[in-house]
mmCIF file of all heavy atoms in Angstrom:
data_model
loop_
_atom_site.group_PDB
_atom_site.id
_atom_site.type_symbol
_atom_site.label_atom_id
_atom_site.label_comp_id
_atom_site.label_asym_id
_atom_site.label_seq_id
_atom_site.Cartn_x
_atom_site.Cartn_y
_atom_site.Cartn_z
ATOM 1 N N LEU A 72 2.286 6.692 -3.097
ATOM 2 C CA LEU A 72 2.006 5.795 -1.970
ATOM 3 C C LEU A 72 0.693 5.040 -2.258
ATOM 4 O O LEU A 72 0.672 3.756 -2.174
ATOM 5 C CB LEU A 72 1.778 6.430 -0.683
ATOM 6 C CG LEU A 72 1.271 5.624 0.531
ATOM 7 C CD1 LEU A 72 2.331 4.598 0.980
ATOM 8 C CD2 LEU A 72 0.938 6.549 1.717
ATOM 9 N N LEU A 73 -0.331 5.615 -2.701
ATOM 10 C CA LEU A 73 -1.605 5.051 -3.068
ATOM 11 C C LEU A 73 -1.437 4.097 -4.232
ATOM 12 O O LEU A 73 -1.966 3.009 -4.298
ATOM 13 C CB LEU A 73 -2.679 6.088 -3.259
ATOM 14 C CG LEU A 73 -4.040 5.481 -3.546
ATOM 15 C CD1 LEU A 73 -4.597 4.781 -2.308
ATOM 16 C CD2 LEU A 73 -5.073 6.750 -3.801
ATOM 17 N N SER A 74 -0.645 4.576 -5.294
ATOM 18 C CA SER A 74 -0.412 3.686 -6.401
ATOM 19 C C SER A 74 0.288 2.461 -5.962
ATOM 20 O O SER A 74 -0.080 1.366 -6.543
ATOM 21 C CB SER A 74 0.425 4.434 -7.458
ATOM 22 O OG SER A 74 -0.288 5.512 -7.982
ATOM 23 N N SER A 75 1.266 2.535 -5.117
ATOM 24 C CA SER A 75 2.025 1.294 -4.670
ATOM 25 C C SER A 75 1.012 0.362 -3.924
ATOM 26 O O SER A 75 1.149 -0.888 -4.161
ATOM 27 C CB SER A 75 3.202 1.705 -3.888
ATOM 28 O OG SER A 75 4.191 2.352 -4.608
ATOM 29 N N ALA A 76 0.198 0.940 -2.984
ATOM 30 C CA ALA A 76 -0.648 0.135 -2.240
ATOM 31 C C ALA A 76 -1.685 -0.663 -3.163
ATOM 32 O O ALA A 76 -2.017 -1.698 -2.939
ATOM 33 C CB ALA A 76 -1.459 1.058 -1.284
ATOM 34 N N CYS A 77 -2.221 0.134 -4.212
ATOM 35 C CA CYS A 77 -3.145 -0.529 -5.061
ATOM 36 C C CYS A 77 -2.441 -1.683 -5.919
ATOM 37 O O CYS A 77 -3.041 -2.704 -6.228
ATOM 38 C CB CYS A 77 -3.790 0.507 -6.103
ATOM 39 S SG CYS A 77 -4.981 1.669 -5.230
ATOM 40 N N ALA A 78 -1.236 -1.411 -6.292
ATOM 41 C CA ALA A 78 -0.434 -2.474 -7.087
ATOM 42 C C ALA A 78 -0.266 -3.687 -6.172
ATOM 43 O O ALA A 78 -0.388 -4.858 -6.618
ATOM 44 C CB ALA A 78 0.833 -1.944 -7.595
ATOM 45 N N VAL A 79 0.053 -3.543 -4.901
ATOM 46 C CA VAL A 79 0.225 -4.628 -4.051
ATOM 47 C C VAL A 79 -1.062 -5.321 -3.755
ATOM 48 O O VAL A 79 -1.100 -6.562 -3.722
ATOM 49 C CB VAL A 79 0.924 -4.004 -2.620
ATOM 50 C CG1 VAL A 79 0.731 -5.195 -1.526
ATOM 51 C CG2 VAL A 79 2.313 -3.683 -2.849
ATOM 52 N N ASN A 80 -2.054 -4.524 -3.573
ATOM 53 C CA ASN A 80 -3.418 -5.095 -3.337
ATOM 54 C C ASN A 80 -3.841 -6.004 -4.520
ATOM 55 O O ASN A 80 -4.339 -7.078 -4.342
ATOM 56 C CB ASN A 80 -4.413 -4.009 -3.114
ATOM 57 C CG ASN A 80 -5.783 -4.495 -2.618
ATOM 58 O OD1 ASN A 80 -6.009 -5.638 -2.561
ATOM 59 N ND2 ASN A 80 -6.640 -3.492 -2.290
ATOM 60 N N GLY A 81 -3.667 -5.494 -5.779
ATOM 61 C CA GLY A 81 -4.022 -6.244 -6.917
ATOM 62 C C GLY A 81 -3.112 -7.476 -7.038
ATOM 63 O O GLY A 81 -3.715 -8.511 -7.458
ATOM 64 N N ALA A 82 -1.801 -7.468 -6.816
ATOM 65 C CA ALA A 82 -1.048 -8.599 -6.876
ATOM 66 C C ALA A 82 -1.477 -9.629 -5.884
ATOM 67 O O ALA A 82 -1.533 -10.886 -6.255
ATOM 68 C CB ALA A 82 0.445 -8.264 -6.609
ATOM 69 N N ILE A 83 -1.831 -9.326 -4.634
ATOM 70 C CA ILE A 83 -2.338 -10.097 -3.666
ATOM 71 C C ILE A 83 -3.560 -10.811 -4.158
ATOM 72 O O ILE A 83 -3.777 -12.087 -4.106
ATOM 73 C CB ILE A 83 -2.659 -9.461 -2.306
ATOM 74 C CG1 ILE A 83 -1.327 -9.070 -1.639
ATOM 75 C CG2 ILE A 83 -3.452 -10.325 -1.436
ATOM 76 C CD1 ILE A 83 -1.369 -8.251 -0.471
ATOM 77 N N GLN A 84 -4.556 -10.067 -4.659
ATOM 78 C CA GLN A 84 -5.916 -10.764 -5.085
ATOM 79 C C GLN A 84 -5.780 -11.561 -6.224
ATOM 80 O O GLN A 84 -6.432 -12.595 -6.458
ATOM 81 C CB GLN A 84 -6.831 -9.483 -5.440
ATOM 82 C CG GLN A 84 -7.151 -8.661 -4.229
ATOM 83 C CD GLN A 84 -7.677 -9.488 -2.976
ATOM 84 O OE1 GLN A 84 -8.422 -10.425 -3.122
ATOM 85 N NE2 GLN A 84 -7.253 -9.047 -1.826
ATOM 86 N N ARG A 85 -4.730 -11.370 -7.140
ATOM 87 C CA ARG A 85 -4.482 -12.157 -8.301
ATOM 88 C C ARG A 85 -3.522 -13.442 -7.973
ATOM 89 O O ARG A 85 -3.445 -14.256 -8.796
ATOM 90 C CB ARG A 85 -3.699 -11.361 -9.515
ATOM 91 C CG ARG A 85 -4.545 -10.386 -10.071
ATOM 92 C CD ARG A 85 -3.890 -9.743 -11.238
ATOM 93 N NE ARG A 85 -2.503 -9.363 -11.104
ATOM 94 C CZ ARG A 85 -2.194 -8.156 -10.684
ATOM 95 N NH1 ARG A 85 -3.147 -7.228 -10.505
ATOM 96 N NH2 ARG A 85 -0.943 -7.830 -10.568
ATOM 97 N N GLY A 86 -2.951 -13.418 -6.769
ATOM 98 C CA GLY A 86 -2.063 -14.464 -6.418
ATOM 99 C C GLY A 86 -0.816 -14.436 -7.229
ATOM 100 O O GLY A 86 -0.178 -15.494 -7.451
ATOM 101 N N ASN A 87 -0.395 -13.307 -7.592
ATOM 102 C CA ASN A 87 0.906 -13.031 -8.321
ATOM 103 C C ASN A 87 1.968 -12.728 -7.330
ATOM 104 O O ASN A 87 2.266 -11.576 -7.040
ATOM 105 C CB ASN A 87 0.680 -11.829 -9.336
ATOM 106 C CG ASN A 87 1.875 -11.782 -10.340
ATOM 107 O OD1 ASN A 87 2.870 -12.333 -9.937
ATOM 108 N ND2 ASN A 87 1.695 -11.182 -11.467
ATOM 109 N N TRP A 88 2.502 -13.834 -6.801
ATOM 110 C CA TRP A 88 3.522 -13.703 -5.747
ATOM 111 C C TRP A 88 4.828 -13.072 -6.301
ATOM 112 O O TRP A 88 5.500 -12.362 -5.455
ATOM 113 C CB TRP A 88 3.644 -15.033 -5.027
ATOM 114 C CG TRP A 88 2.459 -15.701 -4.716
ATOM 115 C CD1 TRP A 88 2.048 -16.981 -5.081
ATOM 116 C CD2 TRP A 88 1.267 -15.193 -4.075
ATOM 117 N NE1 TRP A 88 0.821 -17.393 -4.603
ATOM 118 C CE2 TRP A 88 0.309 -16.264 -3.974
ATOM 119 C CE3 TRP A 88 1.048 -13.971 -3.454
ATOM 120 C CZ2 TRP A 88 -0.893 -16.055 -3.352
ATOM 121 C CZ3 TRP A 88 -0.204 -13.655 -2.835
ATOM 122 C CH2 TRP A 88 -1.169 -14.836 -2.768
ATOM 123 N N ALA A 89 5.252 -13.414 -7.487
ATOM 124 C CA ALA A 89 6.462 -12.762 -7.946
ATOM 125 C C ALA A 89 6.378 -11.250 -8.068
ATOM 126 O O ALA A 89 7.217 -10.522 -7.697
ATOM 127 C CB ALA A 89 6.676 -13.324 -9.407
ATOM 128 N N ALA A 90 5.151 -10.749 -8.528
ATOM 129 C CA ALA A 90 5.046 -9.297 -8.542
ATOM 130 C C ALA A 90 4.951 -8.687 -7.190
ATOM 131 O O ALA A 90 5.500 -7.698 -6.910
ATOM 132 C CB ALA A 90 3.687 -9.033 -9.306
ATOM 133 N N LEU A 91 4.227 -9.411 -6.272
ATOM 134 C CA LEU A 91 4.107 -8.930 -4.907
ATOM 135 C C LEU A 91 5.482 -8.794 -4.257
ATOM 136 O O LEU A 91 5.737 -7.897 -3.503
ATOM 137 C CB LEU A 91 3.215 -9.876 -4.043
ATOM 138 C CG LEU A 91 3.161 -9.583 -2.526
ATOM 139 C CD1 LEU A 91 2.545 -8.210 -2.349
ATOM 140 C CD2 LEU A 91 2.416 -10.696 -1.882
ATOM 141 N N SER A 92 6.375 -9.830 -4.514
ATOM 142 C CA SER A 92 7.742 -9.833 -3.943
ATOM 143 C C SER A 92 8.572 -8.653 -4.253
ATOM 144 O O SER A 92 9.504 -8.205 -3.489
ATOM 145 C CB SER A 92 8.471 -11.182 -4.281
ATOM 146 O OG SER A 92 8.934 -11.082 -5.598
ATOM 147 N N THR A 93 8.394 -8.152 -5.432
ATOM 148 C CA THR A 93 9.207 -6.954 -5.900
ATOM 149 C C THR A 93 8.820 -5.649 -5.070
ATOM 150 O O THR A 93 9.659 -4.644 -5.078
ATOM 151 C CB THR A 93 8.998 -6.631 -7.373
ATOM 152 O OG1 THR A 93 7.558 -6.312 -7.529
ATOM 153 C CG2 THR A 93 9.275 -7.892 -8.218
ATOM 154 N N TYR A 94 7.674 -5.597 -4.434
ATOM 155 C CA TYR A 94 7.382 -4.559 -3.482
ATOM 156 C C TYR A 94 7.950 -4.726 -2.105
ATOM 157 O O TYR A 94 7.930 -3.741 -1.279
ATOM 158 C CB TYR A 94 5.890 -4.324 -3.515
ATOM 159 C CG TYR A 94 5.353 -3.759 -4.790
ATOM 160 C CD1 TYR A 94 4.899 -4.521 -5.787
ATOM 161 C CD2 TYR A 94 5.259 -2.323 -4.990
ATOM 162 C CE1 TYR A 94 4.494 -4.011 -7.019
ATOM 163 C CE2 TYR A 94 4.857 -1.882 -6.112
ATOM 164 C CZ TYR A 94 4.408 -2.641 -7.178
ATOM 165 O OH TYR A 94 4.011 -2.230 -8.385
ATOM 166 N N VAL A 95 8.307 -5.828 -1.624
ATOM 167 C CA VAL A 95 8.723 -6.239 -0.268
ATOM 168 C C VAL A 95 10.019 -5.556 -0.105
ATOM 169 O O VAL A 95 10.936 -5.579 -0.876
ATOM 170 C CB VAL A 95 8.799 -7.783 -0.050
ATOM 171 C CG1 VAL A 95 9.392 -7.999 1.312
ATOM 172 C CG2 VAL A 95 7.357 -8.355 -0.230
ATOM 173 N N HIS A 96 10.159 -4.996 1.107
ATOM 174 C CA HIS A 96 11.451 -4.281 1.470
ATOM 175 C C HIS A 96 12.611 -5.277 1.376
ATOM 176 O O HIS A 96 12.577 -6.377 1.915
ATOM 177 C CB HIS A 96 11.366 -3.674 2.856
ATOM 178 C CG HIS A 96 12.494 -2.813 3.207
ATOM 179 N ND1 HIS A 96 13.862 -3.164 3.474
ATOM 180 C CD2 HIS A 96 12.520 -1.362 3.281
ATOM 181 C CE1 HIS A 96 14.582 -2.067 3.723
ATOM 182 N NE2 HIS A 96 13.737 -1.018 3.586
ATOM 183 N N PRO A 97 13.722 -4.933 0.630
ATOM 184 C CA PRO A 97 14.790 -5.963 0.418
ATOM 185 C C PRO A 97 15.531 -6.406 1.669
ATOM 186 O O PRO A 97 16.056 -7.582 1.690
ATOM 187 C CB PRO A 97 15.661 -5.235 -0.569
ATOM 188 C CG PRO A 97 15.338 -3.835 -0.378
ATOM 189 C CD PRO A 97 13.927 -3.696 -0.024
#
Side-chain angles (χ1 to χ4, degrees):
L72 172 66
L73 187 58
S74 294
S75 295
C77 288
V79 167
N80 193 354
I83 288 172
Q84 298 306 322
R85 295 191 305 273
N87 190 339
W88 313 128
L91 175 61
S92 70
T93 63
Y94 288 90
V95 174
H96 194 284

